[in-house]
Amino acid sequence: MGAALAQLWARLGWRGLALASSGIAWISYGSSIATQPRYGTVRGITVLLDLMPMTAWGWGWITFGVVAITYSVAPAGRDLPGVFVAMGPPLLWALAYALGTLAGAPRAWGSVAPWASHALAIAIIGYLTRPRVILPKVVPRGAE
């Protein structure tokens, strides 16, 4: 069991763990809003409901979650689509709640920072765990 966990950790690392945990969260959240959305969520994102019904938004979260989990095992640098997919839904929700505040949902502003901070955390982890590019030092000819 310990060897299997060590092998999984070697494959995931912090970057993959961030993508996998975000993917699991998005699948869970998407399932809840697709089947039984809360009143506050519906009221706060009314600007998005003009584009698609809540069930479709829920399936969007689920899809993005599956993609994030899929990319969690990709090597760093090749997982950028997963990083962007993990950041997309919370950024969209933050924007929707900000617009919802302007459209007359007085308490929607309280959801902007929590959603935006999750996307920011993924961006920070993505930046700190990015692959280092080693470039050879270029020496002009004759300067050796």
Side-chain angles (χ1 to χ4, degrees), residues 21-38:
S21 63
S22 292
I24 292 167
W26 299 164
I27 291 169
S28 173
Y29 185 72
S31 299
S32 74
I33 64 171
T35 58
Q36 194 172 28
R38 295 176 321 160

Side-chain angles (χ1 to χ4, degrees), residues 25 28 32 34 38 46 71 77-78 84 94 103 113 128-129 139:
S28 173
S32 74
R38 295 176 321 160
T46 54
Y71 275 100
R78 295 188 180 204
F84 293 126
L128 293 175
T129 59
V139 178

Side-chain angles (χ1 to χ4, degrees), residues 9-117:
W9 180 250
R11 185 76 161 151
L12 287 177
W14 291 111
R15 187 178 181 102
L17 182 61
L19 292 180
S21 63
S22 292
I24 292 167
W26 299 164
I27 291 169
S28 173
Y29 185 72
S31 299
S32 74
I33 64 171
T35 58
Q36 194 172 28
R38 295 176 321 160
Y39 172 72
T41 302
V42 173
R43 186 164 181 215
I45 62 155
T46 54
V47 294
L48 293 180
L49 295 178
D50 292 338
L51 302 173
M52 292 189 319
M54 188 61 96
T55 305
W57 286 112
W59 278 104
W61 279 79
I62 292 167
T63 302
F64 278 47
V66 169
V67 172
I69 290 172
T70 302
Y71 275 100
S72 70
V73 295
R78 295 188 180 204
D79 62 350
L80 287 178
V83 173
F84 293 126
V85 163
M87 291 173 57
L91 283 176
L92 178 64
W93 242 231
L95 177 62
Y97 277 112
L99 293 174
T101 300
L102 297 174
R107 288 187 235 154
W109 65 269
S111 295
V112 175
W115 285 116
S117 69

